[in-house]
Each structure stands twice: as structure tokens, then as C-alpha cells.
């Protein structure tokens, strides 16, 4: 069975508490048998990948970095698989297309773009309220008519992963895009 790929998105420059949370998210995701997909650079992206590599279940291929540039050496040192796109901000489309679900932590305009793309493609989203950034503003909200359910809100790493697991196990009525995209 294919292991699910979970996008972890958030700001490239966040406070230490937010980075610790991202690291815990990365570790918990791999502990639950998932792979971690990030933008491959600094901040939340590096913290989530570092956490994933810190899991006792971690192995090669557990961290994937989708870079905005063509230079693979720009990836943070915890990325196993580097996807250099040369697409700048448009790389967010590739990141979302690779994701079975998303966890958003803080973040600015890039994170907002990733959340909006995930919403449009019916990728389940868990937004952690860290007190700032788009994840804090959008948790519990609807972006438009595309879903009967709002973006799932969480306040801790453990709660976020538990809610993510529930979303992944939920009925097709909650996430019709998931089954369609994963029935190939």
C-alpha cells in the first residue's frame, strides 16, 4: 500500500515555538506511517523535515522537498527527495498535487496560496492556531462553496495529527477529491 504524503506548510521565518511545533508534526506524521512533503527550504519546512527524520520509524524517502528553484543544493539538509521545479511560486501547485492532506502552521502569502490550492483540489486541510499567520485565521473557516466542511482547526501537534487521521479515514462525502485522485 502506498504511504500517504502529507504536506506541511508554513512560513520560512517563524518563531521558535512555531518551529518546535512543526518539528513535532513532522515526527508524528512519520510515526503514523506517512511521508512529509514541504517546500524544502527553511523555517517550518526545515523544522517539519528535521522532525520527520527524528522519528524512530524514519527511513529514506520520508521527506520530500518541492523547491521553487532549479538548484537542488538549496534544499534543507533533512530532505531525502529533492524536487527542483524552477517554477518559483507556481511550485505550490506541484506540492499540493503531491499531497494526500495538508497541515498548515502559521505562514504568510505563500502558505495562503498553498491552503487555497489545497481547498480547490479538495485536499483535506488541518490549520493549527499558533496565534498568527494564515493557519490561525483560516482554521474553522470556509473559503467558498467547494466543501460542506470548514478547514479543520487544531491547537496542538497531537490534535492536528489526530484530526488529520480522522479526515483521511472520513467518508467520500467529506472529501470527494481524495478518492478520485487516489483510485488510479
Amino acid at each position: 500500500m502506498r504511504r500517504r504524503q502529507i504536506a506541511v506548510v508554513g512560513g520560512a521565518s517563524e518563531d521558535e515555538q512555531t518551529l518546535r511545533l512543526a518539528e513535532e508534526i513532522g515526527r508524528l506524521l512519520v510515526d503514523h506511517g506517512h511521508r512529509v512533503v514541504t517546500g524544502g527550504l527553511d523555517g517550518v519546512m526545515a523544522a517539519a523535515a528535521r522532525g520527520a527524520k527524528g522519528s524512530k520509524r524514519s527511513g529514506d524517502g520520508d521527506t520530500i522537498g518541492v523547491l521553487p528553484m532549479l538548484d537542488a543544493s538549496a534544499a534543507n539538509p533533512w530532505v531525502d527527495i529533492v524536487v527542483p521545479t524552477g517554477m518559483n511560486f507556481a511550485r505550490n501547485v506541484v506540492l499540493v498535487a503531491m499531497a494526500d492532506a495538508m497541515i498548515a502552521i502559521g505562514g504568510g502569502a505563500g502558505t495562503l496560496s498553498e491552503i487555497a490550492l489545497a481547498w480547490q483540489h479538495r485536499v483535506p486541510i488541518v490549520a493549527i492556531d499558533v496565534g498568527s499567520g494564515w493557519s490561525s485565521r483560516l482554521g474553522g473557516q470556509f473559503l467558498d462553496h467547494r466543501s460542506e466542511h470548514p478547514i479543520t482547526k487544531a491547537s496542538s501537534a497531537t490534535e492536528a495529527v489526530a484530526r488529520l487521521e480522522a479526515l483521511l479515514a472520513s467518508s467520500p462525502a467529506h472529501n470527494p477529491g481524495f478518492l478520485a485522485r487516489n483510485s488510479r
Side-chain angles (χ1 to χ4, degrees), residues 56-67:
K56 291 183 192 312
R57 294 186 66 181
S58 178
D60 280 343
D62 281 337
T63 57
I64 303 164
V66 182
L67 302 181

Side-chain angles (χ1 to χ4, degrees), residues 59-84:
D60 280 343
D62 281 337
T63 57
I64 303 164
V66 182
L67 302 181
M69 68 280 291
L70 289 172
D71 180 8
S73 70
N76 71 62
W78 300 280
V79 171
D80 293 328
I81 298 170
V82 179
V83 182

Side-chain angles (χ1 to χ4, degrees), residues 132-174:
S132 63
W134 284 107
S135 71
S136 297
R137 294 179 192 165
L138 295 177
Q141 302 296 312
F142 290 89
L143 297 187
D144 63 17
H145 66 281
R146 290 173 222 270
S147 179
E148 296 175 7
H149 305 279
I151 293 172
T152 302
K153 184 176 184 177
S155 59
S156 70
T158 303
E159 180 185 9
V161 173
R163 290 182 182 242
L164 175 99
E165 294 293 339
L167 286 170
L168 290 171
S170 69
S171 71
H174 177 77

Side-chain angles (χ1 to χ4, degrees), residues 39-119:
L41 300 174
D42 297 325
V44 164
M45 299 169 278
R50 183 174 57 245
K53 297 313 290 177
S55 169
K56 291 183 192 312
R57 294 186 66 181
S58 178
D60 280 343
D62 281 337
T63 57
I64 303 164
V66 182
L67 302 181
M69 68 280 291
L70 289 172
D71 180 8
S73 70
N76 71 62
W78 300 280
V79 171
D80 293 328
I81 298 170
V82 179
V83 182
T85 67
M87 298 172 68
N88 203 355
F89 298 120
R91 76 74 144 74
N92 293 350
V93 174
V94 175
L95 188 145
V96 168
M98 293 176 69
D100 294 301
M102 174 182 287
I103 295 179
I105 307 167
T111 303
L112 176 60
S113 165
E114 291 159 330
I115 291 169
L117 286 165
W119 180 267

